[in-house]
Amino acid sequence: MSADEQIGSAREAAEDELVVTFGRLLGVANRLEFLVGRALEQECGISHLMYEVLLILGRAGGPGLAMSAIGRAQVLTTGGVTRLIDRMEAAGLVERADDPADRRGRLVRLTPLGEQTAVRATVLHRDNLRHLLADQLPAEHWDRFAEDLRVLSRAVAKEVPRLR
Amino acid sequence: MSADEQIGSAREAAEDELVVTFGRLLGVANRLEFLVGRALEQECGISHLMYEVLLILGRAGGPGLAMSAIGRAQVLTTGGVTRLIDRMEAAGLVERADDPADRRGRLVRLTPLGEQTAVRATVLHRDNLRHLLADQLPAEHWDRFAEDLRVLSRAVAKEVPRLR
DNA sequence: GAACAATAACTGAGCAGTCAGGTATCTGGG
DNA sequence: CCCAGATACCTGACTGCTCAGTTATTGTTC
């Protein structure tokens, strides 16, 4: 037992393997989001959250996505989505249209500028991630890691309720 | 190729393996933080960030930790640390003392209530994490996952500058 | 088909962080 | 020794979210 693992009530309670791993998971996620978010901000003028929204809108294509779908994909309240889309619309990245199938709803879709920005941002983002991460683990570790993460992602998503 | 993987400029640019994995990493982290954060809030009256601070203060022990060390451990500006510790001090979880070795600095340490809360929160937190995660992956996957995460954590931490 | 609950999006108020700028203290070179 | 620059923390103004409450529309039940 090393010097910084001595006994202490708060200390010993904390040193649970899962708790520590979880702390690291959040730490890695926070720091990576900081790093790539800063780059996206500077090079493309968008936050990382906006980038994620550009991606899911790009995947959705067609007539667009409901606000509520965006709130479920990212973890946001409806108020948060409204304001996020407000800013993205003001920046010319997306546009809102009435949903012909439900007059309460709005459909959000990419503008040409939004699509263009998504492509530009992805190139930057991908290079950034490769530079930060690719050499840190051997390729087969990455494959396993990605697969495990996929499993976790599905499991955890089910536990999160829809936010209002 | 399935229906939702058709060609499209924003779409094809996005489907980079690393970008998708990164998105999932952040998604899992966000959702888990939401779930365990909500439980901590309800049961112990603290945010997950406060919990992390209680942990590192518990590990540090002794005369306490400088504000700047807290800002480095979590990714926070000095202003953010000041306000976070303000709230924690108001809640009686920590206390500030002058640093005898540097009259600019303050040392932050746990109060008895803070130590007690750290223990109580950890029990809850650990059980929550087990319930959410333990059965999702076989044990040896967890070991590999935790180890890879440890490597990533060290690599990424070096890239994040100190915030002001 | 009228009443009632549920749902989609929006809004005002509040809160937790950032950013930029301030003061007090420390440190190292001339 | 002293002064310039770095460092530690704090503060005012701002931002981006949440929360709770509102309106408009949809689905449901009798």
Side-chain angles (χ1 to χ4, degrees):
Chain A
M1 180 177 278
S2 73
D4 59 0
E5 285 171 342
Q6 292 164 354
I7 298 301
S9 51
R11 216 167 300 174
E12 78 185 279
E15 304 313 335
D16 179 85
E17 182 62 33
L18 196 51
V19 170
V20 172
T21 298
F22 175 71
R24 267 202 272 270
L25 179 68
L26 261 57
V28 168
N30 271 341
R31 287 174 169 83
L32 283 174
E33 183 166 26
F34 173 86
L35 290 169
V36 305
R38 192 178 52 169
L40 284 170
E41 204 89 51
Q42 289 174 353
E43 305 290 329
C44 303
I46 59 175
S47 67
H48 177 260
L49 181 54
M50 287 183 184
Y51 173 68
E52 293 284 347
V53 172
L54 291 181
L55 277 197
I56 63 177
L57 290 178
R59 287 193 198 107
L65 230 50
M67 305 281 280
S68 53
I70 296 171
R72 234 170 293 129
Q74 305 302 313
V75 182
L76 286 176
T77 60
T78 70
V81 175
T82 295
R83 277 148 180 152
L84 175 62
I85 299 301
D86 282 350
R87 292 195 304 280
M88 293 182 72
E89 197 169 26
L93 299 169
V94 302
E95 55 193 4
R96 275 186 255 229
D98 292 332
D99 183 346
D102 184 342
R103 288 200 297 170
R104 295 166 300 180
R106 322 287 315 270
L107 294 178
V108 185
R109 61 166 175 253
L110 293 182
T111 60
L113 175 62
E115 202 159 334
Q116 203 176 310
T117 304
V119 175
R120 213 158 57 81
T122 293
V123 173
L124 170 74
H125 189 51
R126 191 205 313 125
D127 291 351
N128 253 331
L129 287 176
R130 281 207 220 289
H131 173 257
L132 281 167
L133 297 177
D135 296 335
Q136 305 302 334
L137 292 178
E140 72 268 23
H141 281 234
W142 271 117
D143 293 343
R144 298 182 330 198
F145 190 82
E147 175 58 20
D148 288 345
L149 203 53
R150 209 186 54 74
V151 173
L152 291 180
S153 178
R154 295 181 62 85
V156 171
K158 282 193 295 226
E159 301 290 333
V160 179
R162 295 179 195 169
L163 304 188
R164 284 182 333 116
Chain B
M1 178 179 279
S2 72
D4 59 0
E5 284 170 342
Q6 291 165 356
I7 298 302
S9 51
R11 216 167 303 174
E12 78 185 278
E15 304 315 334
D16 179 86
E17 183 62 32
L18 196 50
V19 170
V20 171
T21 298
F22 175 71
R24 267 202 272 270
L25 178 68
L26 261 57
V28 169
N30 270 341
R31 288 174 168 85
L32 283 174
E33 183 166 25
F34 173 85
L35 291 169
V36 304
R38 191 179 52 168
L40 284 171
E41 205 87 52
Q42 288 174 354
E43 305 289 329
C44 304
I46 60 175
S47 66
H48 178 259
L49 181 54
M50 287 183 184
Y51 173 68
E52 293 284 346
V53 172
L54 291 182
L55 276 197
I56 63 177
L57 289 178
R59 286 192 199 109
L65 231 50
M67 306 280 280
S68 52
I70 297 170
R72 234 169 293 128
Q74 305 301 312
V75 183
L76 287 176
T77 60
T78 70
V81 175
T82 294
R83 280 153 178 150
L84 175 62
I85 299 300
D86 283 349
R87 290 195 305 280
M88 292 181 73
E89 198 169 25
L93 299 168
V94 302
E95 56 193 3
R96 275 185 257 229
D98 292 333
D99 183 346
D102 183 343
R103 288 201 295 169
R104 297 167 300 181
R106 322 290 313 271
L107 296 177
V108 185
R109 61 167 175 254
L110 292 182
T111 61
L113 175 61
E115 201 158 334
Q116 204 175 310
T117 304
V119 175
R120 215 158 54 82
T122 294
V123 173
L124 171 73
H125 189 51
R126 189 203 316 123
D127 291 350
N128 254 330
L129 288 176
R130 282 206 221 288
H131 173 257
L132 280 167
L133 297 176
D135 296 335
Q136 306 302 334
L137 291 178
E140 72 266 25
H141 281 233
W142 271 117
D143 293 342
R144 299 184 327 199
F145 190 82
E147 174 58 20
D148 287 345
L149 203 54
R150 210 186 53 76
V151 174
L152 290 180
S153 178
R154 296 181 63 83
V156 171
K158 284 194 296 229
E159 300 290 332
V160 179
R162 295 183 195 166
L163 304 188
R164 284 182 331 116

